[in-house]
Amino acid sequence: MKQIKILLTLLSLLLAQPTFGMEKSVLFTVDLEKLLKLSDPGKSIILANNMARQALQNENEKLETELLSEEKQISELRKTLSIDEFRVKALDFDKRVTIIRKEQAEKEKLLIEKVRKEEANFLKRIYPLLYELLSDKGGSVLIDQRNVILWENSVDITNEAINVINRFFDSSISDIEKKND
């Protein structure tokens, strides 16, 4: 008799739960990195940042070539200069190299900070769009997929978010162009 009561209790609990797949989720996930990489405004940010990185890399390579050439010239002078004259030139060269390295390292640091700020600003600009999409789906929680271990694909709204972002920013650009005409 006790087993029948337990079985009936479990059965009633099971029947009282919403049917799997029938309940509406209030929790959704989004891949924020994918939003940056695949949305049109995100692609523009990435392209501009990659171009800035490449320009800095080109500048570094040019400086390296120039410094190697100068170092070779100074090494050649070693044969004709006194030890004291050579030491002065070598120390001056080392000081310049140290200054150039610090300047280039600072430029790289500033570029990294700029990239992070632009990516953070992109996310700030799309949060209202994500909120609207979440609300339209009847959701109340949106979680970055990097913080989730497992999820059902039906709660992933990344692709929908990319479409919303692209439409919004495309229409914003069109509005700006119309105002400028």
Side-chain angles (χ1 to χ4, degrees):
M1 186 70 177
K2 189 174 182 177
Q3 290 175 335
I4 293 175
K5 283 184 180 179
I6 293 173
L7 181 60
L8 288 175
T9 303
L10 289 175
L11 186 59
S12 67
L13 287 174
L14 182 63
L15 292 175
Q17 297 298 316
T19 307
F20 182 77
M22 296 293 284
E23 71 180 77
K24 189 173 183 181
S25 178
V26 294
L27 186 134
F28 291 90
T29 66
V30 70
D31 184 339
L32 292 176
E33 195 170 314
K34 192 174 176 183
L35 293 181
L36 179 67
K37 288 180 179 178
L38 298 181
S39 69
D40 293 340
K43 287 178 189 177
S44 295
I45 290 169
I46 291 171
L47 178 64
N49 289 335
N50 286 343
M51 289 171 58
R53 282 187 185 107
Q54 187 60 53
L56 183 58
Q57 179 65 32
N58 293 344
E59 183 180 329
N60 287 339
E61 289 172 2
K62 180 182 177 201
L63 286 168
E64 181 182 13
T65 301
E66 291 170 0
L67 291 171
L68 286 172
S69 174
E70 189 175 342
E71 181 182 38
K72 188 175 180 180
Q73 290 173 357
I74 291 172
S75 293
E76 291 295 321
L77 289 174
R78 184 178 213 161
K79 298 173 188 172
T80 59
L81 296 176
S82 70
I83 293 175
D84 291 336
E85 290 173 320
F86 176 76
R87 184 176 295 132
V88 169
K89 288 195 177 289
L91 288 175
D92 285 344
F93 176 75
D94 285 343
K95 285 179 188 175
R96 275 198 0 269
V97 168
T98 301
I99 290 169
I100 289 170
R101 283 185 181 149
K102 285 181 182 177
E103 288 172 347
Q104 294 308 106
E106 183 64 23
K107 287 179 184 179
E108 187 171 345
K109 178 184 166 192
L110 292 173
L111 180 60
I112 290 170
E113 288 174 12
K114 178 182 169 274
V115 167
R116 287 187 181 142
K117 283 181 185 176
E118 287 179 357
E119 290 175 357
N121 285 336
F122 168 76
L123 293 176
K124 286 178 189 174
R125 288 172 38 211
I126 66 167
Y127 283 155
L129 301 173
L130 295 176
Y131 180 77
E132 186 177 330
L133 179 59
L134 180 66
S135 295
D136 290 348
K137 295 191 121 330
S140 57
V141 178
L142 183 62
I143 300 175
D144 183 356
Q145 288 178 0
R146 292 177 289 188
N147 299 318
V148 179
I149 297 172
L150 295 171
W151 66 88
E152 169 67 35
N153 283 339
S154 65
V155 298
D156 179 6
I157 60 171
T158 303
N159 291 331
E160 291 172 78
I162 290 169
N163 292 333
V164 167
I165 292 165
N166 288 343
R167 279 194 309 269
F168 176 80
F169 283 99
D170 185 44
S171 67
S172 296
I173 291 169
S174 296
D175 290 345
I176 291 169
E177 289 171 348
K178 287 176 186 173
K179 288 178 184 178
N180 291 335
D181 287 341

